[in-house]
Amino acid sequence: MATSSVDKMVMLWDVRQMGEQAPKPLYTLPHDKAVNKAQFSSTTNRLLTTDQHSQVRVYGDEPFQLVSLCGPKSHLTKGPVQDCFNSELSRSTSG
């Protein structure tokens, strides 16, 4: 599971380890600004994040290394975000 926050972090968790004790994230992915969203691709093992600096980041599968950084843009709408993600996905599936 991925969580994003205004603390400029995306954290990846193993929900099987969430019990009575305080869980610890498997990975912590720092950003420059507060993170608006983190979403896994439905077709690859990639993670897409967007932050308030208008950056779109694409992380590869475990250990979640940064693969692509798009932006900043003055205003992100569904189009540019989707275009950035689709561009990265097409590169990862065509090779």
Side-chain angles (χ1 to χ4, degrees):
M1 174 176 70
T3 59
S4 58
S5 178
V6 296
D7 69 358
K8 304 178 188 176
M9 294 288 179
V10 170
M11 294 185 184
L12 302 173
W13 308 86
D14 183 345
V15 294
R16 298 169 295 181
Q17 295 179 2
M18 293 184 170
E20 295 178 18
Q21 297 179 350
K24 294 184 180 172
L26 298 173
Y27 297 96
T28 302
L29 308 174
H31 287 64
D32 299 330
K33 298 284 184 179
V35 183
N36 298 328
K37 186 173 185 175
Q39 181 174 336
F40 288 100
S41 165
S42 61
T43 57
T44 68
N45 292 333
R46 297 194 177 227
L47 175 70
L48 169 75
T49 67
T50 61
D51 66 22
Q52 292 183 9
H53 189 64
S54 299
Q55 291 182 330
V56 177
R57 296 171 190 235
V58 179
Y59 292 89
D61 59 359
E62 197 169 359
F64 297 98
Q65 299 288 328
L66 184 63
V67 174
S68 180
L69 175 64
C70 301
K73 298 183 185 303
S74 59
H75 179 68
L76 284 178
T77 61
K78 185 177 179 184
V81 172
Q82 193 66 40
D83 291 347
C84 175
F85 198 44
N86 286 342
S87 171
E88 184 55 42
L89 287 178
S90 67
R91 272 189 251 144
S92 66
T93 58
S94 65

